[in-house]
Amino acid sequence: MSTIRPFRCIRPAGDLASSIAALPYDVYNSDEARKIVQANPMSFLKIDRAETLLPEGTDIYSPEVYKTARCTLDSMIKDKSFIQDNSDCYYIYALTMNGRTQTGLVGCASIDDYVNGIILKHENTLAAKEEDRIRHVDACSAQTGPIFLAYRPCQPLREIINKIKCSPELYDFTSDDGVRHQVWKIDGRKDIDNISRLFADISHLYIADGHHRAASAVKVGLMRRAADPGYSGHEEYNYFLSVLFPSDELCIYDYNRVIIDRNGCTFESFLDKIKSGFNIRKMGTEPYSPKCKGEFGLYFHDEWYQLTASPELYADDPVSRLDVSVLQEYILAPVFGIRDPKTDPRIRFIGGIRGLKALEQAADDSDGIAFSMYPTSMDELLSVADAGMLMPPKSTWFEPKLRSGLFIHRF
């Protein structure tokens, strides 16, 4: 049983939505975020990355940064750049990229569902990244970046959402990267009650993207509980901002790898070490994108190769069946000595949205070896999460990215 509930959203005044909406805070480094805020002073990055409003060189984790985020949010509410709806509502958020649309429901998920395993994850989090968002959420008393959740398709939910999409939008704009963003409000009591009831019949929700944001929101909620012994469980801090999508509408892109230290191997000796487990075929100079599960692209010094893994390398459990696990288990660890790809500085990850030319460039710049991956599927993600297991780091890259600043949940 999943608990999803409506909320009184703080959101941009209608004509400001396109200027305020910003990609997630962790897409950019501090210098990139600063340039964006300088070019667009309304960008929500000035709240999500508030060091952009402070002198260059400011410690991005200093108390002043979080205080500035809170003050900026308060100021934008006061000057009516942000408005708040008068009642608890759900919202629909549709993103269209390259002709494909995914449509999510915006509401609040329960921290108890996260703690009790109703909301399932597929990757671990890093304490340092959690701590930053814990301090940000706590200082703002708000969740400013939505958690990207998935659920198995539910036709009655789809019918309600499709009906609402026939009404006028709150927002409809296309961002600089060509993604169209549309938002509708659901304020009819019957629709709200039916949506909540239908989610109550869904056994599990899945974190697609935003594991650190989710963990941070939950920990702030638990902190607020600890400071409020008489809490009822209905307080807003018991819930966190989410956008929930049916899994069949989502697209996972490849998440490619570059090895910048060959661990003393020549390229020829590397090929010799892996030939017992992989069929190796030279493909030429054109970038090679794997065509199916079990295939990998390999790039070194202007040449591409196709690697086809032996079926014997794939074990039975959901994690061992992943291509990213096979690469880790039979190449990265034994050949290059990369045991922990989350922390090892010799491996870099390149999102497939950047293209294989960017992967080539990253390999050439480091005299490294690059691997292009066949994308992990949504079915694989759901199977891993259902089994209570975790994927290797950087197994999934979701596009398009949800924008921050369109929906704020304050508590």
Side-chain angles (χ1 to χ4, degrees):
M1 175 177 176
S2 303
T3 301
I4 299 297
R5 75 177 198 176
F7 68 111
R8 288 185 64 206
C9 184
I10 296 173
R11 55 185 180 83
D15 58 342
L16 295 179
S18 61
S19 298
I20 289 174
L23 285 166
Y25 75 98
D26 52 358
V27 169
Y28 305 104
N29 63 36
S30 193
D31 288 341
E32 290 168 338
R34 188 178 294 275
K35 289 176 183 175
I36 289 172
V37 172
Q38 287 172 349
N40 174 20
M42 292 301 293
S43 171
F44 196 74
L45 281 173
K46 68 180 180 180
I47 292 173
D48 258 358
R49 298 295 297 265
E51 77 272 12
T52 58
L53 300 181
L54 297 170
E56 290 190 38
T58 298
D59 179 357
I60 64 174
Y61 304 120
S62 70
E64 188 63 24
V65 170
Y66 304 104
K67 179 181 177 182
T68 299
R70 170 62 181 258
C71 291
T72 305
L73 176 58
D74 288 346
S75 175
M76 292 182 71
I77 293 172
K78 185 176 181 179
D79 70 17
K80 294 185 169 43
S81 296
F82 284 115
I83 58 176
Q84 185 169 28
D85 286 319
N86 294 323
S87 62
D88 290 341
C89 302
Y90 285 122
Y91 302 83
I92 295 170
Y93 181 19
L95 301 94
T96 302
M97 176 179 167
N98 298 331
R100 183 186 64 84
T101 299
Q102 61 187 51
T103 303
L105 180 89
V106 184
C108 288
S110 165
I111 67 172
D112 288 314
D113 283 358
Y114 182 96
V115 172
N116 297 329
I118 301 297
I119 298 173
L120 299 175
K121 59 184 181 179
H122 67 267
E123 68 177 39
N124 272 324
T125 55
L126 296 173
K129 288 187 70 175
E130 278 187 29
E131 181 60 27
D132 167 52
R133 287 302 100 176
I134 287 171
R135 295 173 69 186
H136 190 276
V137 171
D138 195 37
C140 293
S141 279
Q143 294 125 16
T144 59
I147 314 307
F148 186 163
L149 299 180
Y151 60 92
R152 284 190 165 86
C154 171
Q155 186 59 29
L157 269 173
R158 202 186 301 267
E159 290 171 2
I160 294 173
I161 287 170
N162 287 340
K163 178 191 72 173
I164 301 296
K165 287 177 70 177
C166 294
S167 63
E169 300 98 330
L170 285 179
Y171 311 125
D172 185 355
F173 65 91
T174 299
S175 50
D176 291 343
D177 57 359
V179 176
R180 184 183 183 186
H181 304 265
Q182 296 167 278
V183 174
W184 295 261
K185 181 165 72 172
I186 304 176
D187 54 6
R189 178 47 53 188
K190 183 178 179 181
D191 286 331
I192 288 173
D193 290 345
N194 283 338
I195 289 168
S196 300
R197 176 181 54 80
L198 288 166
F199 271 107
D201 291 334
I202 292 176
S203 59
H204 288 292
L205 304 174
Y206 303 85
I207 300 176
D209 203 4
H211 283 78
H212 288 91
R213 293 193 294 278
S216 301
V218 169
K219 288 183 178 179
V220 172
L222 295 175
M223 287 165 47
R224 295 294 177 98
R225 280 185 179 181
D228 181 15
Y231 78 91
S232 67
H234 298 294
E235 298 86 358
E236 290 297 329
Y237 59 70
N238 294 289
Y239 299 86
F240 59 90
L241 178 65
S242 303
V243 186
L244 303 103
F245 294 88
S247 59
D248 61 349
E249 292 186 8
L250 300 179
C251 180
I252 302 177
Y253 284 70
D254 45 314
Y255 215 152
N256 302 313
R257 276 87 166 121
V258 176
I259 309 305
I260 64 174
D261 181 340
R262 284 179 270 137
N263 200 31
C265 287
T266 65
F267 185 67
E268 290 72 21
S269 66
F270 158 67
L271 293 180
D272 190 60
K273 289 180 179 181
I274 68 170
K275 67 182 181 182
S276 62
F278 297 84
N279 180 64
I280 304 168
R281 180 185 174 195
K282 196 169 185 177
M283 302 299 289
T285 59
E286 287 300 309
Y288 180 72
S289 180
K291 304 300 186 292
C292 63
K293 182 176 171 62
E295 284 188 6
F296 305 80
L298 168 65
Y299 172 79
F300 181 71
H301 284 189
D302 298 324
E303 292 285 352
W304 280 90
Y305 301 77
Q306 177 199 66
L307 304 182
T308 303
S310 169
E312 288 75 22
L313 302 186
Y314 288 85
D316 289 336
D317 70 82
V319 172
S320 298
R321 289 199 297 266
L322 300 172
D323 280 350
V324 288
S325 297
V326 169
L327 182 73
Q328 174 62 36
E329 179 72 18
Y330 294 101
I331 295 181
L332 302 189
V335 178
F336 299 120
I338 296 173
R339 308 289 175 186
D340 185 358
K342 185 184 287 286
T343 59
D344 198 308
R346 296 171 297 163
I347 184 170
R348 295 177 183 168
F349 301 93
I350 309 292
I353 194 69
R354 294 180 57 189
L356 295 185
K357 286 297 184 181
L359 185 65
E360 288 182 343
Q361 188 64 54
D364 291 341
D365 289 347
S366 60
D367 192 30
I369 292 175
F371 296 92
S372 60
M373 308 295 296
Y374 188 73
T376 302
S377 72
M378 273 304 302
D379 285 342
E380 287 176 320
L381 184 154
L382 298 178
S383 295
V384 169
D386 282 338
M389 304 176 78
L390 301 174
M391 293 182 176
K394 311 296 186 184
S395 295
T396 58
W397 180 285
F398 284 90
E399 286 286 347
K401 300 292 186 188
L402 309 185
R403 265 40 177 192
S404 297
L406 292 176
F407 316 97
I408 298 171
H409 174 232
R410 202 145 202 197
F411 50 88

